[in-house]
């Protein structure tokens, strides 16, 4: 690809699962942070994570004082007949002066556009809008300003979409965990635990997780099901069902997906040339040290590309899942 760059640099959108992580992300160079309320309205509804209303108000004030934006993820699907919790989340995000809300459910998007017309709307990756017609529908009907694209598109496909949807912005994931399902619309967790990312905001909820240590190593379980067995000196990963090792045809292997992290540092110039507005880092469930390290790395990467300098050589192996990295579908060579 050529070297011509757009006139504006892409925003760096960074995760913040706690007030401390929000401050770490902003201080490390985030242009935006995305957060969630401490309930099932967001898809990272884990114990010890997220924000109450007071904390979010203070976090927004801190970010705005440093020149950063705050986006509130309200990206689960309301329960049939009882949308009040989700409606209140949208109202509180607007009242607290969030810079945008990230929504997935079409009914909630309609509600937000009608009741809070001043509130900027972003379409969550959970909505799985991956073509110009789908994106145009949300933009024309509800005024959606930005779409988070699913992680199933090549760089060229993203460029084609951007050429056809202006002035709608696109945001793509550049680092973090991958999901083999249709962007979190997963039935595996609910099948095993009765709770899902879609409705409850939890994938493999912590209350269902057990680790058992023996002389042979560590066994991880989810709701009584064995998900993985680790050798004595092998790091024991979190028992997410899609990343479990199972026996098939007498062989133990990762049947769904190996623990691997998306890392696009080396293809940032291509994504910028494709017209992407914002780069999103996954990991609201990760600690402030992870957030600071990844934000600093991608801040340096984006700044280098925009200044016409070579990309920095930054090793993120120590914080990637399973110590492995991939560019995923962005450089897809299979069909």
């Amino acid at each position: 690809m050529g070297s011509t760059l757009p006139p504006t640099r892409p925003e760096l959108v960074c995760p913040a699962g706690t007030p401390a992580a929000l401050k770490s992300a902003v201080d490390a160079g985030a242009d935006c942070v995305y957060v969630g309320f401490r309930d099932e309205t967001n898809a990272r509804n884990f114990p010890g994570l997220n924000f109450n209303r007071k904390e979010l108000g203070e976090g927004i004030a801190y970010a705005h004082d440093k020149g950063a934006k705050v986006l509130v993820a309200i990206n689960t699907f309301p329960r049939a007949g009882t949308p009040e919790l989700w409606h209140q989340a949208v109202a509180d995000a607007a009242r607290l002066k969030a810079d945008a809300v990230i929504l997935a459910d079409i009914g909630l998007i309609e509600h937000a556009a009608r009741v809070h017309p001043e509130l900027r709307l972003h379409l969550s990756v959970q909505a799985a809008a991956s073509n110009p017609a789908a994106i145009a529908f949300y933009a024309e009907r509800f005024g959606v300003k930005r779409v988070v694209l699913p992680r199933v598109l090549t760089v060229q496909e993203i460029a084609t979409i951007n050429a056809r949807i202006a002035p709608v912005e696109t945001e793509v994931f550049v680092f973090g965990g991958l999901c083999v399902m249709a962007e979190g619309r997963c039935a595996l967790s609910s099948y095993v635990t009765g709770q899902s990312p879609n409705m409850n905001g939890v994938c493999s909820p912590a209350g269902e997780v057990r680790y058992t240590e023996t002389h042979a190593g560590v066994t991880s379980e989810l709701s009584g099901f064995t998900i993985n067995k680790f050798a004595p000196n092998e790091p024991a990963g979190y028992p997410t069902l899609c990343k479990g090792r199972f026996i098939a045809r007498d062989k133990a292997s990762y049947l769904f997906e190996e623990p691997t992290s998306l890392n696009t540092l080396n293809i940032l110039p291509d994504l910028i040339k494709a017209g992407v507005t914002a780069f999103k880092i996954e990991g609201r469930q990760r600690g402030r040290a992870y957030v600071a390290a990844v934000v600093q790395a991608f801040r340096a990467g984006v700044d280098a590309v925009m200044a016409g300098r070579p990309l920095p050589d930054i090793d993120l192996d120590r914080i990637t899942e399973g110590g492995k990295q991939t560019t995923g579908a962005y450089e897809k060579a299979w069909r």
Side-chain angles (χ1 to χ4, degrees):
M1 293 186 176
S3 58
T4 302
L5 296 175
T8 57
R9 71 180 59 225
E11 289 183 343
L12 196 55
V13 181
C14 306
T18 63
L22 182 148
K23 291 181 178 179
S24 292
V26 170
D27 293 346
D31 297 304
C32 306
V33 292
Y34 64 102
V35 303
F37 288 121
R38 196 170 293 153
D39 55 39
E40 59 188 287
T41 62
N42 90 91
R44 289 291 183 272
N45 181 26
F46 291 99
L49 284 187
N50 300 309
F51 292 69
N52 62 32
R53 272 54 176 177
K54 180 176 181 293
E55 290 168 340
L56 183 56
E58 293 170 349
I60 290 173
Y62 184 88
H64 286 176
D65 186 58
K66 301 281 187 176
K69 301 174 184 176
V70 177
L71 318 177
V72 180
I74 309 172
N75 57 342
T76 53
F77 295 84
R79 297 180 181 277
T82 55
E84 291 80 12
L85 183 66
W86 285 261
H87 289 178
Q88 189 62 54
V90 172
D92 288 342
R95 175 178 58 83
L96 294 168
K97 306 300 182 185
D99 295 280
V101 289
I102 307 169
L103 308 178
D105 180 74
I106 193 170
L108 188 59
I109 294 168
E110 187 279 333
H111 169 86
R114 175 170 46 84
V115 179
H116 305 281
E118 77 292 349
L119 185 60
R120 181 178 168 95
L121 306 183
H122 290 187
L123 189 66
S124 170
V125 70
Q126 299 287 97
S130 57
N131 61 72
I135 293 167
F137 170 80
Y138 285 101
E140 293 167 6
R141 292 291 293 270
F142 308 116
V144 165
K145 297 293 192 292
R146 179 182 295 179
V147 175
V148 185
L149 293 176
R151 285 162 280 194
V152 297
L153 300 167
T154 65
V155 173
Q156 183 54 55
E157 288 167 340
I158 292 169
T160 299
I161 288 172
N162 278 325
R164 295 178 58 186
I165 65 169
V168 182
E169 303 168 355
T170 57
E171 180 173 310
V172 302
F173 283 91
V174 293
F175 190 89
L178 291 167
C179 181
V180 296
M181 299 301 169
E183 294 302 345
R185 296 199 224 177
C186 175
L188 288 174
S189 179
S190 59
Y191 176 78
V192 172
T193 69
Q195 300 184 71
S196 76
N198 320 311
M199 300 293 293
N200 310 103
V202 287
C203 170
S204 304
E208 303 290 338
V209 170
R210 298 288 183 276
Y211 293 95
T212 303
E213 188 171 6
T214 68
H215 68 280
V218 174
T219 297
S220 64
E221 297 182 358
L222 181 66
S223 193
F225 291 89
T226 297
I227 304 302
N228 218 329
K229 291 185 177 181
F230 303 92
N233 295 320
E234 185 180 7
Y238 193 83
T240 306
L241 193 56
C242 62
K243 295 179 176 67
R245 278 186 286 202
F246 303 98
I247 297 174
R249 297 182 179 178
D250 300 320
K251 179 183 178 182
S253 66
Y254 292 102
L255 289 183
F256 297 102
E257 177 188 6
E258 288 194 34
T260 305
S261 286
L262 177 70
N263 185 357
T264 65
L265 262 176
N266 290 333
I267 62 169
L268 288 185
D270 296 340
L271 290 169
I272 292 173
K273 186 173 184 292
V276 173
T277 300
F279 293 156
K280 187 168 196 168
I281 295 168
E282 188 274 340
R284 279 192 288 145
Q285 72 278 26
R286 304 293 291 268
R288 60 190 299 183
Y290 165 95
V291 170
V294 180
V295 174
Q296 288 169 359
F298 276 85
R299 177 79 280 153
V302 170
D303 290 349
V305 174
M306 298 307 297
R309 301 191 305 267
L311 283 166
D313 183 16
I314 301 174
D315 183 9
L316 294 172
D317 271 354
R318 62 186 175 83
I319 54 175
T320 56
E321 198 170 11
K324 298 177 182 179
Q325 304 177 37
T326 178
T327 54
Y330 293 131
E331 295 186 303
K332 183 167 60 179
W334 67 92
R335 283 290 181 270

